[in-house]
Amino acid sequence: MPSLNFYGLQQCQACLLHQSATQKVDGRGPLPADIYILGEGPGNDEDKTGQPFVGKSGQFLQAAIEAAGLTTTTGLPLGTRGAVRIGNVVRCRPPRNRKPLPAEALRCQMWLNIELDLAQPKVILCLGQTAIEAFLPGRKLEKGKKVADYVGQRLPNEQQTIIGCYHPAARQAAQRNQVPKVLLEVARLIGVEPPVKPEVDYRLLQF
């Protein structure tokens, strides 16, 4: 399966972030994919493993993906509904996990463009301000708006269906808990319903 590493991601020196990174972080999940989830940038765990969203917030995100009836499993037959690809705005860990600078995000845009071309997603889900801004004019939130104004809402884009959401590492639990809810709506947009757990009548069980 092609990936950004195949296209030379590990050799990238487009910005200074590569100087402090252990390795660049490729995307995770099948290609193509129905849904592309975009985060901000790698953290410490991602910098060590080369995989996006593998720390605590990543585990929370993965559980929400599976609860929505979606999958990041690779090697799926072509046409499998509910396939999800995950990536980040920048592919190198910013020092001290700071927010990526606008210039860094812009220089890393080529890798996002390549991955979106490979994924051909029906829906793009942007987690947090940096990811949302990647698809807004001027790469900034609209005047007077906050991330909350984009949660579960379509971004103003005529070419693609792009939806905003909080990041799973958001400080407030109420914000983090919006992630599973928005994922359920995104799944339904592509025709996937969450798995229904069978109800068990314990009175009929014999012990």
Side-chain angles (χ1 to χ4, degrees):
M1 179 181 67
S3 67
L4 297 185
N5 287 334
F6 175 82
Y7 290 94
L9 174 63
Q10 296 304 321
Q11 289 73 48
C12 181
Q13 298 184 10
C15 73
L16 296 181
L17 287 181
H18 77 276
Q19 294 181 349
S20 57
T22 302
Q23 59 187 317
K24 284 81 171 179
V25 179
D26 201 345
R28 176 168 64 88
L31 290 169
D34 290 323
I35 300 168
Y36 184 88
I37 298 179
L38 182 66
E40 181 177 274
N44 185 55
D45 293 319
E46 291 75 19
D47 183 63
K48 290 179 179 179
T49 63
Q51 295 285 316
F53 284 95
V54 294
K56 289 185 177 179
S57 64
Q59 294 167 20
F60 176 73
L61 176 63
Q62 186 65 36
I65 289 171
E66 294 172 5
L70 305 170
T71 180
T72 57
T73 301
T74 57
L76 298 171
L78 287 177
T80 299
R81 186 174 294 181
V84 175
R85 179 79 175 183
I86 305 173
N88 280 308
V89 171
V90 297
R91 307 294 168 145
C92 293
R93 180 194 181 196
R96 299 177 298 280
N97 281 356
R98 65 164 170 77
K99 183 178 179 179
L101 301 176
E104 294 165 346
L106 189 59
R107 286 181 176 271
C108 214
Q109 181 70 36
M110 61 175 289
W111 299 112
L112 176 57
N113 292 342
I114 291 173
E115 197 159 43
L116 289 176
D117 284 342
L118 293 171
Q120 292 295 305
K122 298 181 178 70
V123 180
I124 299 172
L125 179 61
C126 299
L127 304 178
Q129 181 174 342
T130 299
I132 292 171
E133 289 179 334
F135 292 99
L136 292 177
R139 303 181 74 93
K140 291 183 178 180
L141 299 185
E142 297 168 276
K143 188 175 181 180
K145 288 194 173 184
K146 301 178 180 179
V147 172
D149 297 310
Y150 296 93
V151 174
Q153 303 298 314
R154 296 192 182 197
L155 274 61
N157 189 297
E158 297 180 357
Q159 284 73 42
Q160 295 171 299
T161 300
I162 306 173
I163 296 175
C165 190
Y166 287 113
H167 195 282
R171 293 181 180 180
Q172 297 181 25
Q175 295 175 342
R176 293 193 299 272
N177 288 337
Q178 289 297 314
V179 176
K181 296 179 182 179
V182 174
L183 268 168
L184 284 171
E185 294 305 314
V186 170
R188 292 189 175 105
L189 275 179
I190 64 168
V192 173
E193 288 292 333
V196 178
K197 295 182 179 179
E199 295 184 4
V200 178
D201 188 340
Y202 291 99
R203 294 171 300 175
L204 301 180
L205 297 180
Q206 296 180 357
F207 296 93

